[in-house]
Amino acid sequence: MSTPRTSIPVLDLSTARNPDGSFNTTFIDALRIAAHEVGFFQVTNYGSASGQVAELLDTVAGFFKLPLEQRLELDNRSSAQFRGYTRLGTEITRGRADSREQIDFGPNREPLDDVPADRLYRHLQGHNQWPDGYPELERAAEAWAHLMSGVGAELLAGISVALGLPEDYFAEPFAGTPAWMAKLVHYVGGQVPAAGTQGVGSHADYGFVTLLLQDAVGGLEVQPHGREDWIAVAPIPGALVVNLGEMLEVATNGYLMATVHRVTAPPPGVDRYSVPFFWSPRLDAVIDPVTLPAALAAEAPGVSQDPDNPMLSSYGANVLKGWVRAHPETARLHYPELIA
């Protein structure tokens, strides 16, 4: 029986491939252990430009210092795609308000008008909302999303190889119109009485691979499957925190877990900024079970059973279910049939 971890692994992405382009077996073995045993790890040397991380976090902080009336010009209640600005304390996790405000954005595409009633998730394709008087925010965020799309695809290729599959095994669901999404998040403490110390409550992510840039404040904690204690994720300057989503848990029958995590709000007067990016497939992607090598299949415990949060093999349905729950005011305006 291995000793329970008290920290999460750190991987150097610059060592992922050999000079001939093939994946390095040492890196793949470390990736498999991190993905299977914890479902969380940190990644360094992933290709960010010099100064890009600091500039992005400074630009995000600058937006949340704008007057509230300017931020509310991007109110996500106006968006059927749940894009734009979410007011402090109005996003809900596990039935409780979170101590954060944020901007959500994704691929900027034309909304779809003719959407069947059984595929309401197709309404999630649409436009972003950015502040007219602060163009540097859109530039920095879109540049980051472009970088993260490449990192997400590379890590998913490595995970495929770690599962004994071709590295392009999961490429098809992402082809053409991947529905990645990202957030620019500001955590504050002491301003949302209903939240208590909850920055964001315990939850798992909807998609495939999450790439989180966090500042130096800390507060992120993870709970590996089968454990009652929580592991603090100590910030490493410039590193990405990586975790796996529900699509990979469903696909691998639980060999890879969508690990539960949470954020504790910072103390009053302290600001915490983070930029999570969710590398996710097309909205219409349906993920079939993977045939794992026998040795790995023997270690797959099955998909987590939470009657309050069933996991769905349809990515679009899975993410819409989560957003309706997290943003009830926006959902009531644009998806009243799902609220009922």
Side-chain angles (χ1 to χ4, degrees), residues 8 40 197 200-203 212 214 218-224 229-234 241 259-265 272:
I8 69 170
F40 262 78
T197 60
V200 58
S202 61
H203 67 285
L212 170 72
Q214 60 172 342
L220 174 62
E221 298 177 322
V222 307
Q223 187 180 49
D229 59 322
W230 292 82
I231 300 174
V233 182
V241 181
T259 303
V260 171
H261 50 289
R262 67 186 183 188
V263 175
T264 300
R272 179 182 187 266

Side-chain angles (χ1 to χ4, degrees), residues 25-66:
T25 55
T26 300
F27 177 87
I28 291 298
D29 289 344
L31 177 61
R32 183 187 304 107
I33 291 170
H36 173 57
E37 293 186 358
V38 189
F40 262 78
F41 50 95
Q42 298 204 60
V43 163
T44 60
N45 297 319
Y46 50 86
S48 60
S50 176
Q52 185 176 10
V53 166
E55 179 184 0
L56 175 63
L57 290 173
D58 287 346
T59 304
V60 170
F63 170 78
F64 290 108
K65 291 180 173 65
L66 295 176

Side-chain angles (χ1 to χ4, degrees), residues 76 80 147 192 206 224 261 271 298 301:
N76 77 335
L147 173 63
V192 184
Y206 314 128
H261 50 289
D271 299 291

Side-chain angles (χ1 to χ4, degrees), residues 91-102:
E91 184 165 4
I92 306 298
T93 306
R94 294 282 181 180
R96 188 176 181 184
D98 295 326
S99 297
R100 60 175 174 169
E101 57 181 343
Q102 65 193 36

Side-chain angles (χ1 to χ4, degrees), residues 2 5 9 11 28-41 159 162-163 223-227 242-244 248-249 252-259 292 295-302:
S2 60
R5 290 182 176 271
L11 305 181
I28 291 298
D29 289 344
L31 177 61
R32 183 187 304 107
I33 291 170
H36 173 57
E37 293 186 358
V38 189
F40 262 78
F41 50 95
I159 288 168
L163 295 174
Q223 187 180 49
H225 183 68
R227 291 178 57 170
V242 182
N243 65 279
L244 310 181
L248 279 174
E249 181 168 337
T252 63
N253 195 35
Y255 180 80
L256 301 179
M257 302 296 293
T259 303
L292 295 173
L296 304 188
E299 298 182 20

Side-chain angles (χ1 to χ4, degrees), residues 324 331-332 335-340:
V324 164
R332 274 191 290 270
Y335 301 94
E337 62 273 60
L338 298 184
I339 294 294

Side-chain angles (χ1 to χ4, degrees), residues 83 106-110 125-130 138 142 180:
R83 310 269 182 99
N108 198 54
R109 301 182 180 122
E110 286 300 316
Q125 176 170 308
H127 295 305
N128 296 317
Q129 298 193 78
W130 297 110
E138 180 179 4
E142 293 289 358
W180 59 263

